[in-house]
Every structure is written in C-alpha cells, then in structure tokens.
Amino acid sequence: MVKMDKITRLSLAKIKRAKKESFLLCILVMICTILLSSSVSSLVGIGKMMPSITEETGCYRNFVIMGQDIYSDECLGYLSENSSVSSYDHFSVIMDPLLKSKDGDMTVSLCFLRSSDEERSEIFEPEVVEGASSLEHPIYLDSSCKRSMGLSLGDEVTYTSGKREYSFTVAGFFDQGLWPLGSKAVVSDEDYSYLEQHMDRYEIVGMDFAPGVDANKFFKSYEEYCKGTTLNDVSSEYMSYAYKDLIDTYTFNMSLLSGIVACMAGVTILAILVMIRYRIVGDIREQIVSIGVLEALGYKSAEISLSYVVEYLIVAGVGAVLGIVPGVMFSSFLMTNAATTAHYGGDIKAPLLPAFLSVLGILLFVLLISHTRARAVRKYPPVKAFRKGIETHHFKKTILPLEKSRSNIHISLALKGFFENAKQNIGLGVCIAAVTLTVVISFMMANTLGNKDNLLNNICGHELADIRIETTGLISTEDFANELLAMPEVSKVLMTSDSEYIKIADADIPMLLDIYDDFSSTTNIIVSEGRLPEHDNEIAFTVQGKFIQNMEVGDTVMVEYGKIRKEYVVTGFVNSVVNASAGYMTSSGFRRLDPLYTPDILDIYLDPSVDASSFASVLESRYGKDIADISSGEVTGDTMEERIRSAADIKMAEAMVENGVSYMEYSIEVDGQIISGSTNTMRIDKLTFQRADYAEIMDQFGSVIGTVTTSLTIVAAVVVMIILSILMENTIRKQYRELGIMKGLGYTSRELMFQMSFRIVPVAVIAALVGTFLSFVSMGLIEMVLGKLSVSVPAVAVVVICVLLFCFFCAYTGARKIKKISVYELMTE
Amino acid sequence: MTAILRTEKLCKTFSNDGMQQHVIKNLDLSIDSGDFTVIMGASGSGKSTLLYALSGMDKPSMGKVFFGEEDISSYSNDQLAMFRRRNCGFVFQSIYLLENMNVIDNILTGALVLQKNTPALISRVKSLLGHVGIGEELWKKYPNQLSGGECQRVGIVRAVVNEPRVLFADEPTGALDSSSGQAVLDVFTSLHKDGQSIVMVTHDIKTALRGNRVIYLRDGSVVGEYKMPLYGTDDVTSRRDSLQAFLNEMGW
C-alpha cells in the first residue's frame, strides 16, 4: 500500500510537470472513448434493437408486396398449406410516393391502412387523444412521428400530393413494428375509401417462417406460384422482404455511420499509441539522470516503470470517465435515429455494457502500451543513468552532413532532425495517413453528395422534368406530347413510364426501369462509365448495381420481365443516389420484353423563365384536373348548364378511376337545350412537380452527408492538432538544451519553430500520399452504396495540400513554446 | 580607438519570490574596438550578467546598451537573435556544443545561419580548426568523443567563424585542466593579435593576464579599471605582479 502510494505520488508529479501534454492526452482519450464507446454500443444496440421491436410489437417478420390486380385468395391458400410458414395474414394499404407534409414541406413515406388491417398486422394499442372517436378525420400515426415530425396528440396534419391536400387530426400514436413500406397511418374507413381514389393500392402479405427456413428461397417459389395464379404479368408487382434484409435496410445508414465513427476511433487509438510511446521514450531520455537518482535512492526500476504506467492510466482514466457519458448519449442518438428510420417511436436505450467494455479496452490498451514502453527504464542502472545512458553518445554515421548541404540551413537542420527520429516518424506518418484518408473521402463525399445542384443535375439518376404528367390514355401519348411541345412555354417533352420492373435472371432484386426513346435527349441521366443504351439489345444499370451484380460494360445479362427472358448487353453505369437498383433501356429495347408497351408518362421541361406552378394551372384549364381530383370533387357552377357539366365530369371521372373506363361521352337535353361533353378534356391522370419534389429529397440527403463529412473532418482536425501539439511539446522539452544553444548562436525563435515544424513535412508528405492512395482504393466501397463519387484530381490535390498546410500550421503553433526558452537561463544554469 | 560597446545607466534586476535583487546598478561603461577586455570581480558581483547584457543575450531592466551606434536594449528577442548572429561570438564555460552533431556540423550550424555554404567557408572552417589545433582526424568526431579542451577550441572556432565584431567569453577555461586552458588562452591571444575585440569574464588571474584592459566589478558597479600592454609585448612576471597589485587594491 505504501509502495503504491509512493508510485502514485511519482506519477502525479510527472503529470504535474507535463500538465499541457497530459491534458491533451486526456482530451484525446476522451475523444477516443466517445467515438469507440458510442460506435460499439450503437452497433451492438442496433443489432439487438430490431428483434426486440419485433417481439414488442408482435409484428410479422417477412413481407411480400403485390399489386391488387395480382393478389388473390389463392396466394394465401398456398401459405396455409405450406409447413414452412408458421403464421401469415394479408393487409391492404394505399400510398403515394410523392406525399409531403404541408407544414414541414418534407416528403413523407406514409402508407394508409384501415384499423381492421392494422390490428391484424401487429399489436395496435395506441395512445389516444381525448374524444378521438368523435373526430371527423382521425389519423393514428406511428410514434416515431412525434420525434421526426414534432407532432403531438390533437395536432392538425395536412399532407399534399401535387395540388391535392388531405387534412387529419392526430387521434393517437402507436408503436410500429417491422414494416416494408415506411410509416403506417391508420385512418377511418371513410377516409381510406376517399384516399384510395387518389393513391396506389398494394396488397401486403406478412408471414413468419418455421425455424430454419430460407426466406429468400421460399419467396422465389412463392413468386412462381403467384405468377402461376394469374395471367397478368406479376414481375412488376411482386416484391419480397425477408426479415434480415428488412432489418439491414432500416439499420444500414446508422450502422454505416457507427462504422465510420468506429474507424475514427481507430485513428484516435493509433494517435494515443503514438503519443504514449513517444512521450514515455522522450520522458525517459529527458529524466534519465533523475531516474538514476531515484534508483540510487532505492527505487527499483520496476517501480519507476510502474510510475509511468500509473501516470498514463490516471490520464487515460480521467479521459475515459469524461468520455463515457457523451459516448453513451451519442450512442443513444444513433440508435434513436436508427429506430426512427425504422419508424419505431418507443423508448430506445443504448446498451451500457459494450460502452463500458470499450472503455475497459482503451484502458487495457493504454496499460499495455505504457507498460511495454516504460520497461526501457530497466536498461538504465544508476551509473549508466547518471551518464545519460548511451543515448547521447553518437558513434553512428553523420546523417546529412551540413558540409555537403546546399539547401537552406533551416531546412537542412530540419531534415537532420527528421532522419534522427525515424521511429517517431512512422507513428506520426500512420496517423497523418489515416487523417488524410478521412479528410479526402469526406471531401469526395461532400463534393459529390453534399452539393444539392450536383445531386439534382448529375447524380440523381432520374430525369427531373419540371412537370410530370401521367396520362389517362385518351389520346396517344405521342400526340399529347406533340401538342404540348407546340406550346411556347415548353422547351422539351419526353415520353416514358415509371412502373416497369425487371430482374436480372437469378438475382432476386427488382429493378425499376427508366425507359426513353432516345437517351441522348435526357438531361439528368448521366453515365459515369460507358454510355447509355442506343439499341434495342442494350441496357444500362446504376453504379451500385455494377458492384452488387459484379457487372462490367460489354457483359451480357439475361433480363427477366414476368415470364419473358431476353439477353441484353450492358452499355454503361449511371450515377444514381435516388435508386440504387434502377435500369435504363430504350423504348424499342423494352418492346422486346413487352411488345405492347406504350409510354404513359410525359416529362415536360419548361423554358427557364416559366413558373412550373403557373403552367400547371394552364395545363389543368386546358386538359382538366387530374381525374382523381375531379371524381372526389363536388358539383359546382352558377348556372344549370355549369352544374350539369360539373356533375357529368364527376361521374365520368369516377368511372375512369374506379372501373378503368377509357372513354365516355354524354349528351343531355334540358328544356330543348342539348348539353354534351366527353372525357376528351380529361387527359391528366396525375400531375406532379418532379424537379421540385426531388429537390427537397436531395436537400435532406445533402444535409445529412454534409453533417457527417463535416463532423469527420472536425474530428480528424482535432486529432491532428492534439497529436502535433503533444509531439512538439515533448520534442521541445527533450531538446531544450540544443534549442537554447541554437538561440545563443543567433537563431531566432521563428527560425527554430520553422525547423521544428518542417521536420514533420517529409513524413507528412509521404503519409498524405499514402492516405490519398488509400482513399482512392477505399472509394470503391463507398461507391457500392452511394454511387460514383466525382473525383477531380486537382481538387483532391488542393485538399491534400490543405491537410499538409494544416499539419504544418499545427506543428508550427505547437512549437511556439520555443519562444519561452531563455538562452540566458540556459547559459547560467 | 572607437567604442564598440557602450552602456548608459545600465541596470539589471532579478525578482525571486517577490524579492528584488539589483545585480547591475546604473552602470556606464565603454569598450573600445580591438580591446581584449577582461571583467573580473567576486562571485555575485554581476560579471556574467553584465556580459550577457552587453552581448544581447539578455535584456537590461533599465538603461541602454549601444553596440556601435545601435541601441540594442529595446530589441525584441528575435531582433536580439539576429543582432547576435551578425555581431557576436560566444564561448562558454560549459562549452555547449550540440551533442548530436560532429565537429564540422557544430561549427557550420553557427556559420550557416549567416553565411552561404561555399567551398570558401568550408576551407575557412578547416583552416580555423587547424589554427586552434584540431586535427583532421577529429573533424568527424562527436563532442563526447573529444576532450574538454578540444571541445572548447571547437567552441571558439564556432564563435569566430562568422567573424564577429566582438567575441564574448564567460570563464572559457573554467572547466578545463591547466594545459588545455593554456591552449585555449593561446587561441584567444592569437585572435586578439589579429584584431579581434574580446570581452571575457573570468576570476582567474592567469586568464586575465591575456587581456589589455581589466574592469573590476563590485555589487554591480565598476569600481576600478586597469590597462595593460598587449600580451607578449612585456614581461609576464611584472605584468602579473602589477595586475595582482591592482586586484589587491580592489579587494580581490
């Protein structure tokens, strides 16, 4: 006990002597603790969170989504007879991909259900507002909406799609379990019927499997069965979601972020390793005579080396204690975000054990490193220590003799210093390489994905027309396009379709096709490799698809569309951050799969001076509002004739929406007056502002990328600052005498600061080059997820130069303690 | 002779735990160019403090120090460093060679801060080393491989390689044995004969004999001054006796 007290006092004296370095090391350990404990805790927590949510909510684990024209009771019959399926049920949902919250003006991923469906899909015990049953338009939202949209019970919410608005009162919140279609909203049967007229309906089959069943294998056979039950093509309407894939989808972003944070923790651990190693070696050299004195006084070398271990454990312990609470808080933040992404709003707590274990790991690491380095004390018995060991005896070859040097004396001396500290340079180099890697990748991501304009115009992966019209098919899409093109406000009209799904044979990933007659007339679909399809046997994919499917330009792939299979040649890969699993094909190419294909969508590009919203009003006045709006409207008009025409329009629109009627006309005689009309003026099924809608999505995405990359860069900068500050502080302490002599010889503090900081330049340059090389190598991994990153070599060079200048600046300012060296005190000591 | 160094009301005060210690007090002094000035005095009289104030190694608390016509008392630390490299050479009792550099590099570290690395400089360094008796076999050696006397002679070469206007020396033979000290003093004498201005602090009478002017300090003030002919131009015994007499008069 007395011995430990003695050692602790020695350690505390050392900490007191090097207060600033100890403080910086403490900060570094704190940062490392925050990063490591949060990443480990959240990775473990996220892994356990989804199974826990599934248990808690009693939801199904696996889902199949089908179009309503495909679904039949036979699909359920198959499940009832299959022993692989332990339980199942069927629910209908409706949704609109372009639905936005009116207040927040944010796109919301919301699907509407009846309460009868929701009650069968999971435990539905909402927290309700008083008087919920008497509300006119009640809506029950998943509880994550409280966090993500700031909603409370009784709030009025309005959703918009194009020009339509749907208003509800929040009647309750419920905990949503696993679900493949975003957030659930339970509405009254009346509201559901109304919404059904405007939105797409899907049939969802939820199921749980018996233990040991391969979900994807089962889905394959189930798909074949469902295809067999109908004459319709089902490839575009069948999507399956296995439990594991669904969890991966929801937790991917936060797991990726946790992984990036863990990498940053790795960099800080490396920095701690370098710092402790370097500080102990430097301290032993500097204190070698004191060590000799202590040994002469009866201290064992083991006790002295233990004092170093205790010193670093105290510093690391303080840093770890300071870091653990923010670490757990950050972990909770990451997990809550993951839960919100999965639309779960219940309480989320970060697991504490992984956080504490990671702290323990850091302390063990510090113990190991400090113990390994502090053992060097044993090399110095008292007499050897008094004579300053053999460290000060130079019998080796002179490095860079000044006699032969032709460069500036300061650079020559700096380079001498650089070569004399080779081991220290390796550690510093590894840290700078890791930091360069982080900064360059952050830059590439921010440059490509953090720029809204670039996201929109170059890497969105889809055409972004000012206005997109889904036609009712009353006249040929081509004729309609020509008519629109004749309007002076319109600069370009493209015909396409957005509901055709294909699969690459044997790969169970549905791909949404972008189909255009001629891709040379598209604006926002840009290949990062190869070219876009020109002929009917060609297809292009996204960059992510290239990695997932392991394809190259020139490969031949078998494309599956329903029951039809055709071979296509891969011509190129498109940057697409919106949809990683998209395909690109010409109209003639798609007709090989579907000879009856006709485009039903018109992408309208306006003259830059034309306001899209105003022009939409022009279109509606000329071609009618979209038919769902008309069918759900009320009879209006001041005169009898106007009211009759309005009523007739509503009836025709209802027939078109509900029964798929393609053409109607009417003729009514009132008091000898013939009032006639037809569906000819109802050409618009749906009108959306494609570019504006995507701009918001891209804005949100860009903001997330911007936040992540900025955070990474800041952490990297702080780590560099701390490393170099400790390094300089320690070097100055070690070379106090030499620096004093140099000052006496007439070297100014600035010149010595330059020499000291220039010493890191060679290693920094090499490390920065290595880091840059590694960032280019690891870019492929990021591109698998986010698409092709744009790389401008000059811009990256500028970033690397900035990293180097920052390192030099940190080293230079870290060396400012040289100014405090008093040559007079040195000479008279 | 023109004054190369001059002080006006020079004061230097040190503070220690709130206690003020006035080491140099209102000192007016002039040192001529080409002189070998020796500063003597009892321990604590302010000899070294005066030397460092004169050489720009330390700043005075009050008063002025003129180097030629240049007032260096108000210079910043970096300005003083620039001033020292241009005008001063230093030889210290503790020698202060850079232990991680060999003999040639130690000298060039001092030289290259002011001069360019030219063959002429290298040959001058080698010639100076030869002049002080450091043979070629020692040029690549490190300080810890040399004797104290050899180190001090290397230190002198480093001090004079930039042809300073004044060479300052603080007890240059204090850490050396008799024969090494003698060899070092011979170097000083030789430099003085070549016209080098030297200001040296010592408490050793044998060392002081090498100078041509002795200033005696007591409690931070000049209390006496003694002039001698150039060393070697008179009888050493009588020179020693008369200096001893002066020092006795000063209370040595």
Side-chain angles (χ1 to χ4, degrees):
Chain A
M1 199 63 191
V2 174
K3 197 168 104 181
M4 227 22 239
D5 180 51
K6 198 167 64 177
I7 289 166
T8 309
R9 271 192 284 120
L10 267 181
S11 308
L12 290 172
K14 286 205 199 85
I15 293 172
K16 204 173 168 187
R17 193 169 56 81
K19 282 193 286 281
K20 190 181 168 190
E21 288 167 72
S22 300
F23 172 74
L24 290 173
L25 191 61
C26 180
I27 297 292
L28 201 59
V29 173
M30 186 185 81
I31 293 173
C32 180
T33 305
I34 293 172
L35 297 175
L36 193 66
S37 63
S38 61
S39 55
V40 171
S41 173
S42 56
L43 280 171
V44 172
I46 288 170
K48 289 182 177 171
M49 183 177 71
M50 295 311 290
S52 158
I53 291 173
T54 309
E55 284 298 319
E56 199 179 305
T57 58
C59 64
Y60 286 97
R61 288 170 173 77
N62 306 277
F63 299 89
V64 172
I65 303 173
M66 287 179 263
Q68 57 176 322
D69 52 339
I70 305 304
Y71 173 77
S72 69
D73 289 344
E74 282 180 74
C75 295
L76 289 184
Y78 178 85
L79 299 176
S80 68
E81 291 160 10
N82 199 309
S83 60
S84 299
V85 180
S86 59
S87 61
Y88 66 91
D89 212 330
H90 156 255
F91 333 101
S92 298
V93 300
I94 49 173
M95 62 187 299
D96 180 345
L98 295 173
L99 201 68
K100 293 197 295 188
S101 122
K102 192 184 179 189
D103 298 334
D105 210 21
M106 285 164 59
T107 305
V108 289
S109 175
L110 204 62
C111 69
F112 296 90
L113 293 88
R114 294 188 188 92
S115 58
S116 53
D117 280 283
E118 168 58 12
E119 278 159 7
R120 284 183 292 109
S121 78
E122 61 186 355
I123 299 165
F124 181 61
E125 291 171 352
E127 163 201 8
V128 294
V129 70
E130 209 173 313
S133 55
S134 59
L135 292 172
E136 194 179 357
H137 298 292
I139 187 167
Y140 296 86
L141 295 167
D142 82 68
S143 46
S144 72
C145 294
K146 286 194 237 177
R147 273 200 296 261
S148 60
M149 302 180 74
L151 291 173
S152 306
L153 288 173
D155 282 357
E156 293 293 324
V157 285
T158 302
Y159 299 107
T160 64
S161 178
K163 292 196 153 192
R164 283 192 295 275
E165 287 190 0
Y166 314 107
S167 294
F168 299 96
T169 306
V170 179
F173 291 108
F174 62 96
D175 286 342
Q176 177 179 320
L178 217 52
W179 186 248
L181 287 177
S183 195
K184 285 181 185 173
V186 178
V187 293
S188 65
D189 290 355
E190 294 75 28
D191 286 340
Y192 184 89
S193 303
Y194 170 78
L195 293 171
E196 205 174 357
Q197 295 172 21
H198 304 279
M199 298 181 181
D200 300 324
R201 177 171 158 177
Y202 295 93
E203 307 302 323
I204 298 185
V205 178
M207 60 189 91
D208 287 338
F209 293 121
V213 173
D214 181 338
N216 286 317
K217 207 170 167 186
F218 176 85
F219 285 142
K220 195 83 183 160
S221 57
Y222 187 51
E223 181 182 3
E224 278 171 22
Y225 176 81
C226 291
K227 281 181 184 177
T229 62
T230 175
L231 292 174
N232 295 327
D233 162 53
V234 296
S235 67
S236 60
E237 306 287 349
Y238 181 95
M239 278 178 281
S240 56
Y241 296 88
Y243 179 58
K244 189 180 172 303
D245 299 338
L246 207 50
I247 288 178
D248 287 348
T249 306
Y250 281 135
T251 58
F252 178 79
N253 286 344
M254 286 305 126
S255 297
L256 181 69
L257 190 58
S258 300
I260 292 171
V261 172
C263 290
M264 286 307 300
V267 174
T268 55
I269 286 173
L270 197 63
I272 290 170
L273 163 76
V274 173
M275 287 306 101
I276 292 178
R277 191 193 157 281
Y278 183 63
R279 266 204 67 196
I280 291 181
V281 171
D283 204 43
I284 290 173
R285 272 188 202 159
E286 190 197 346
Q287 295 293 310
I288 194 158
V289 175
S290 307
I291 288 169
V293 172
L294 286 172
E295 285 176 336
L297 288 172
Y299 279 82
K300 292 179 197 167
S301 58
E303 289 171 343
I304 298 170
S305 58
L306 186 59
S307 73
Y308 281 100
V309 175
V310 172
E311 176 192 351
Y312 288 100
L313 276 180
I314 290 172
V315 173
V318 173
V321 167
L322 292 174
I324 186 77
V325 173
V328 171
M329 283 167 68
F330 188 47
S331 173
S332 293
F333 167 77
L334 290 174
M335 285 183 63
T336 305
N337 269 291
T340 306
T341 308
H343 306 286
Y344 178 77
D347 283 340
I348 296 293
K349 286 193 179 104
L352 294 178
L353 187 62
F356 283 116
L357 286 178
S358 55
V359 167
L360 198 63
I362 292 171
L363 293 178
L364 279 173
F365 177 75
V366 168
L367 174 76
L368 191 71
I369 298 300
S370 52
H371 175 66
T372 311
R373 298 316 308 174
R375 279 193 309 180
V377 172
R378 289 183 190 171
K379 287 193 280 184
Y380 304 110
V383 176
K384 201 171 173 184
F386 287 146
R387 290 177 182 166
K388 299 188 177 180
I390 54 164
E391 294 294 324
T392 54
H393 290 251
H394 293 263
F395 300 112
K396 57 194 174 190
K397 199 177 168 204
T398 302
I399 301 168
L400 297 179
L402 293 178
E403 192 182 348
K404 290 178 183 164
S405 164
R406 290 289 172 269
S407 62
N408 177 293
I409 179 67
H410 306 299
I411 291 174
S412 301
L413 290 173
L415 292 177
K416 271 175 97 70
F418 163 74
F419 284 112
E420 281 168 5
N421 294 286
K423 282 186 185 173
Q424 165 196 320
N425 294 335
I426 294 169
L428 179 65
V430 173
C431 286
I432 294 180
V435 164
T436 309
L437 170 71
T438 308
V439 173
V440 170
I441 285 185
S442 295
F443 168 74
M444 286 179 190
M445 282 172 65
N447 187 40
T448 313
L449 307 170
N451 180 331
K452 184 180 149 188
D453 288 339
N454 186 43
L455 276 170
L456 264 181
N457 298 325
N458 301 325
I459 55 173
C460 172
H462 289 285
E463 273 303 280
L464 298 177
D466 295 305
I467 293 174
R468 170 168 276 201
I469 290 177
E470 288 181 33
T471 64
T472 53
L474 283 171
I475 67 164
S476 89
T477 311
E478 196 170 351
D479 290 344
F480 196 178
N482 289 332
E483 212 174 310
L484 290 169
L485 204 50
M487 297 170 81
E489 297 93 335
V490 176
S491 62
K492 183 167 76 176
V493 178
L494 299 179
M495 294 183 291
T496 184
S497 167
D498 76 343
S499 58
E500 305 297 350
Y501 285 84
I502 57 160
K503 282 179 185 172
I504 295 176
D506 304 326
D508 195 28
I509 304 170
M511 290 185 163
L512 179 63
L513 271 184
D514 273 19
I515 305 169
Y516 289 94
D517 288 346
D518 179 5
F519 278 96
S520 64
S521 57
T522 59
T523 311
N524 306 113
I525 300 173
I526 296 171
V527 283
S528 65
E529 186 184 345
R531 61 170 174 78
L532 287 162
E534 291 172 3
H535 304 103
D536 65 359
N537 64 338
E538 293 176 346
I539 190 167
F541 295 101
T542 61
V543 173
Q544 296 96 313
K546 172 191 171 175
F547 288 109
I548 295 164
Q549 304 287 342
N550 195 21
M551 291 182 289
E552 293 296 336
V553 171
D555 284 358
T556 300
V557 289
M558 181 67 79
V559 173
E560 195 176 293
Y561 177 74
K563 297 161 190 169
I564 298 169
R565 288 179 157 214
K566 295 278 181 194
E567 280 190 340
Y568 288 83
V569 177
V570 179
T571 60
F573 301 102
V574 174
N575 244 340
S576 174
V577 292
V578 168
N579 183 5
S581 54
Y584 304 86
M585 209 182 260
T586 60
S587 303
S588 58
F590 186 66
R591 284 195 186 97
R592 289 179 64 214
L593 295 167
D594 179 5
L596 299 176
Y597 165 74
T598 51
D600 57 354
I601 286 178
L602 290 171
D603 282 345
I604 304 169
Y605 299 78
L606 301 175
D607 190 273
S609 60
V610 178
D611 175 58
S613 183
S614 312
F615 186 71
S617 303
V618 173
L619 289 178
E620 284 177 346
S621 66
R622 189 175 294 188
Y623 302 112
K625 289 185 176 179
D626 65 38
I627 53 171
D629 271 350
I630 299 171
S631 69
S632 59
E634 288 177 359
V635 176
T636 56
D638 296 329
T639 63
M640 170 74 80
E641 183 182 344
E642 282 171 357
R643 284 196 294 278
I644 288 172
R645 285 188 185 283
S646 171
D649 283 348
I650 290 169
K651 287 287 175 197
M652 288 193 294
E654 277 175 4
M656 290 172 88
V657 169
E658 290 171 13
N659 306 316
V661 170
S662 58
Y663 179 77
M664 280 178 82
E665 58 183 32
Y666 65 91
S667 186
I668 299 167
E669 185 178 339
V670 181
D671 294 338
Q673 182 192 355
I674 305 290
I675 302 169
S676 59
S678 73
T679 52
N680 272 339
T681 54
M682 296 184 189
R683 294 196 199 170
I684 300 174
D685 187 6
K686 197 168 192 175
L687 183 149
T688 50
F689 302 100
Q690 185 95 336
R691 190 174 182 81
D693 291 339
Y694 273 97
E696 280 162 30
I697 297 169
M698 295 294 110
D699 209 17
Q700 291 167 26
F701 183 73
S703 299
V704 171
I705 292 289
T707 307
V708 170
T709 53
T710 306
S711 307
L712 284 176
T713 307
I714 288 171
V715 170
V718 169
V719 169
V720 163
M721 242 163 23
I722 291 177
I723 291 173
L724 288 173
S725 184
I726 292 177
L727 195 70
M728 289 297 133
E729 189 94 5
N730 213 16
T731 308
I732 290 167
R733 220 149 34 86
K734 197 173 82 178
Q735 300 197 332
Y736 183 81
R737 187 174 175 277
E738 283 86 349
L739 291 166
I741 295 170
M742 302 276 275
K743 276 194 162 185
L745 290 174
Y747 285 84
T748 64
S749 296
R750 284 170 197 276
E751 286 166 344
L752 293 173
M753 283 163 70
F754 172 81
Q755 282 179 27
M756 189 73 79
S757 40
F758 197 82
R759 277 186 198 182
I760 68 146
V761 169
V763 69
V765 169
I766 294 166
L769 290 175
V770 171
T772 311
F773 172 74
L774 290 177
S775 63
F776 276 88
V777 171
S778 55
M779 212 164 62
L781 292 171
I782 297 167
E783 289 179 347
M784 277 174 71
V785 181
L786 297 171
K788 186 85 179 168
L789 300 180
S790 68
V791 181
S792 153
V793 174
V796 170
V798 169
V799 170
V800 174
I801 289 169
C802 288
V803 170
L804 289 173
L805 286 176
F806 182 71
C807 289
F808 184 80
F809 171 77
C810 290
Y812 189 80
T813 50
R816 66 188 179 281
K817 205 178 174 185
I818 287 175
K819 287 182 179 176
K820 289 185 184 166
I821 296 175
S822 162
V823 57
Y824 173 76
E825 279 172 24
L826 185 80
M827 298 302 165
T828 54
E829 70 183 3
Chain B
M1 289 291 231
T2 53
I4 192 163
L5 271 169
R6 187 162 55 85
T7 66
E8 279 179 16
K9 307 284 181 202
L10 181 68
C11 293
K12 183 68 191 178
T13 305
F14 292 104
S15 292
N16 193 6
D17 289 338
M19 296 282 287
Q20 299 258 306
Q21 189 186 357
H22 304 287
V23 181
I24 305 283
K25 299 167 187 166
N26 288 327
L27 194 143
D28 290 324
L29 178 68
S30 178
I31 291 170
D32 288 339
S33 174
D35 267 3
F36 188 155
T37 306
V38 178
I39 302 172
M40 297 189 78
S43 290
S45 59
K47 304 183 294 287
S48 293
T49 305
L50 175 61
L51 182 89
Y52 291 124
L54 291 174
S55 61
M57 198 77 91
D58 195 19
K59 290 180 182 181
S61 306
M62 275 198 298
K64 290 180 175 178
V65 177
F66 290 95
F67 198 96
E69 293 304 314
E70 200 175 348
D71 178 8
I72 63 168
S73 48
S74 58
Y75 280 5
S76 67
N77 286 335
D78 277 0
Q79 283 174 315
L80 283 175
M82 301 287 278
F83 159 78
R84 286 198 298 270
R85 75 166 69 153
R86 286 195 311 268
N87 300 294
C88 307
F90 295 93
V91 180
F92 309 100
Q93 180 180 357
S94 302
I95 306 172
Y96 290 124
L97 291 183
L98 296 159
E99 291 186 3
N100 60 337
M101 290 190 190
N102 64 23
V103 167
I104 294 278
D105 277 1
N106 254 291
I107 296 164
L108 286 175
T109 302
L112 293 175
V113 71
L114 192 65
Q115 306 177 53
K116 285 195 171 169
N117 194 353
T118 58
L121 173 67
I122 302 296
S123 64
R124 175 174 152 72
V125 169
K126 289 176 178 173
S127 149
L128 282 170
L129 282 170
H131 186 65
V132 299
I134 301 292
E136 195 173 346
E137 71 281 2
L138 299 177
W139 292 354
K140 303 287 180 190
K141 300 274 186 190
Y142 286 86
N144 49 43
Q145 294 170 286
L146 302 177
S147 69
E150 286 165 342
C151 282
Q152 192 60 292
R153 279 178 279 157
V154 172
I156 293 171
V157 173
R158 188 178 67 181
V160 299
V161 70
N162 285 337
E163 300 178 38
R165 291 169 70 188
V166 180
L167 176 61
F168 294 92
D170 187 4
E171 304 275 12
T173 58
L176 304 179
D177 60 43
S178 177
S179 62
S180 299
Q182 215 49 45
V184 166
L185 289 175
D186 287 345
V187 174
F188 275 95
T189 302
S190 166
L191 289 168
H192 182 225
K193 277 183 183 164
D194 292 343
Q196 176 70 56
S197 304
I198 300 172
V199 178
M200 179 192 287
V201 165
T202 186
H203 60 264
D204 176 31
I205 194 163
K206 269 204 283 187
T207 305
L209 284 174
R210 302 290 179 133
N212 67 330
R213 183 188 179 198
V214 177
I215 293 167
Y216 196 85
L217 282 189
R218 189 185 300 137
D219 296 331
S221 299
V222 176
V223 290
E225 158 171 6
Y226 179 72
K227 291 210 170 186
M228 294 181 287
L230 281 179
Y231 184 79
T233 60
D234 58 349
D235 175 53
V236 177
T237 312
S238 62
R239 185 183 181 90
R240 182 190 175 91
D241 290 345
S242 52
L243 178 59
Q244 185 68 59
F246 165 72
L247 291 173
N248 288 344
E249 192 186 325
M250 291 293 110
W252 176 255

